[in-house]
Amino acid sequence: MALQESPFKFTTFNAGPRFCLEKDFAYKQAKIICAVLLGCYKFKLSDEKKAVHYRIKLTFHIDGGLYVHASPRH
Ligand code: HEM
């Protein structure tokens, strides 16, 4: 059985009685978008040596951004 994380750890979808009713649908949409993009493009980090750190804000922010080069798959 998968371990359930507390919704209070990542509050973008709110937590408690007013939490987002379609959080799972939103995650599914995000995964579909990623799958479509990965099917069409190859992504390569602009700087592969750069350490990636998150910043906990209202959304999950990448500190300083995450620059990539995208090239079409043939
Ligand atoms: C990235 C996408 C989304 C984010 C970040 C998000 C975030 C939130 C947040 C923060 C709330 C709480 C609002 C409040 O307390 O007043 C909320 C509520 C809600 N969301 Fe989402 N949401 C997302 C996508 C969706 C989608 C795709 C649907 C429906 C298809 C949806 C349906 C709802 C509904 C019905 C509520 C009201 C829940 C209630 O008041 O009891 N959300 N959402």
Side-chain angles (χ1 to χ4, degrees), residues 11-73:
T11 53
T12 296
F13 293 97
N14 208 352
R18 291 291 307 274
F19 78 99
C20 177
L21 294 179
E22 291 297 342
K23 179 181 80 153
D24 291 342
F25 181 65
Y27 274 122
K28 217 164 272 170
Q29 280 184 314
K31 286 176 193 169
I32 290 167
I33 290 167
C34 289
V36 170
L37 286 174
L38 286 168
C40 297
Y41 299 97
K42 277 187 235 171
F43 294 93
K44 200 170 174 343
L45 288 171
S46 298
D47 180 359
E48 292 188 346
K49 293 196 178 100
K50 186 181 172 237
V52 178
H53 298 287
Y54 296 107
R55 288 174 72 192
I56 307 292
K57 299 175 96 178
L58 193 59
T59 55
F60 222 12
H61 210 79
I62 295 178
D63 201 6
L66 185 69
Y67 292 91
V68 294
H69 292 290
S71 52
R73 289 182 191 274

